[in-house]
């Protein structure tokens, strides 16, 4: 019941109440992996990354076969520049679900942080094959190309990003 209330408050944008109810859920059931994952989600929304990482780790320990938990943990690690740990979690998530194309985008972003631009382009290509409208993939493509000295190609990608964001703003 607490978990369901937490979901409802999260959907309504009330992260304080959602956090309260997800905490209640894990108090009632300390082995409730999904509740720890949602705690991590709320902490991420509040930019409380250390707490998010702790919650995601707890969720992963309880249920190591849930791809989304490893993906979320990877995102938290990436946000805190813990690149090797982020890469490990993204690769675990990819092993569990090779069709979760967002993982490719995060791996590409991670490669840019590590200055591995060719590899970043490869991951972004995989993401764009799965979702040609992915604006973030275009942006990271542009960054990788720019840092590789391919300014004209980077400019083309950035113009596409601007065009897509402009269309989203109109919507």
């Amino acid at each position: 019941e607490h978990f369901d209330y937490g979901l409802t408050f999260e959907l309504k944008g009330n992260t304080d109440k959602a956090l309260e109810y997800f905490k209640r859920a894990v108090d009632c059931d300390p082995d409730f992996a999904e509740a720890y994952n949602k705690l991590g989600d709320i902490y991420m929304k509040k930019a409380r990354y250390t707490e998010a990482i702790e919650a995601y780790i707890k969720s992963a320990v309880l249920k190591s076969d849930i791809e989304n938990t490893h993906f979320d943990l990877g995102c938290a690690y990436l946000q805190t520049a813990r690149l090797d740990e982020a890469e490990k979690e993204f690769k675990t998530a990819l092993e569990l679900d090779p069709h979760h194309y967002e993982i490719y985008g995060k791996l590409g972003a991670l490669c840019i942080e590590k200055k591995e631009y060719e590899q970043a382009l490869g991951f972004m290509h995989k993401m764009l094959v799965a979702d040609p409208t992915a604006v973030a993939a275009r942006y990271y493509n542009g960054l990788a190309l720019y840092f590789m000295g391919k300014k004209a190609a980077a400019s083309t990608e950035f113009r596409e990003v601007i065009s897509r964001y402009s269309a989203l703003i109109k919507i």
Side-chain angles (χ1 to χ4, degrees):
E1 187 175 300
H2 295 304
F3 183 78
D4 291 341
Y5 280 124
L7 291 174
T8 300
F9 282 114
E10 182 184 20
L11 286 171
K12 290 182 175 189
N14 189 337
T15 55
D16 291 331
K17 282 296 226 184
L19 184 63
E20 175 187 329
Y21 279 98
F22 290 136
K23 283 181 178 180
R24 287 182 188 180
V26 297
D27 286 344
C28 289
D29 182 358
D31 295 329
F32 194 175
E34 292 82 355
Y36 283 104
N37 187 271
K38 293 307 292 178
L39 273 173
D41 291 348
I42 298 300
Y43 287 133
M44 287 290 286
K45 289 178 182 177
K46 292 178 164 290
R48 292 167 57 181
Y49 304 119
T50 301
E51 292 161 295
I53 289 169
E54 291 170 3
Y56 290 139
I57 288 172
K58 182 71 174 174
S59 180
V61 166
L62 290 169
K63 283 192 176 177
S64 63
D65 62 339
I66 298 177
E67 164 273 326
N68 194 55
T69 298
H70 294 284
F71 176 77
D72 291 343
L73 181 54
C75 290
Y77 282 142
L78 183 59
Q79 192 68 37
T80 57
R82 293 168 66 176
L83 303 181
D84 292 336
E85 292 159 296
E87 184 174 17
K88 177 185 173 283
E89 293 303 324
F90 290 140
K91 287 184 175 179
T92 299
L94 198 56
E95 287 173 15
L96 292 168
D97 183 3
H99 303 292
H100 184 169
Y101 67 87
E102 286 178 282
I103 298 169
Y104 294 116
K106 292 298 182 180
L107 282 167
L110 184 135
C111 288
I112 288 179
E113 291 294 320
K114 294 173 80 173
K115 299 178 175 33
E116 298 170 350
Y117 305 121
E118 288 285 345
Q119 194 170 2
L121 289 174
F123 284 125
M124 290 307 156
H125 175 74
K126 289 180 181 180
M127 184 171 174
L128 286 166
V129 166
D131 180 6
T133 67
V135 178
R138 293 274 176 216
Y139 170 75
Y140 286 117
N141 259 351
L143 279 181
L145 292 164
Y146 177 83
F147 289 128
M148 293 170 72
K150 300 178 179 182
K151 308 274 196 247
S155 183
T156 299
E157 289 292 345
F158 290 140
R159 278 194 298 277
E160 181 67 23
V161 169
I162 291 167
S163 172
R164 289 179 189 258
Y165 271 126
S166 296
L168 288 172
I169 290 169
K170 286 179 185 176
I171 293 171

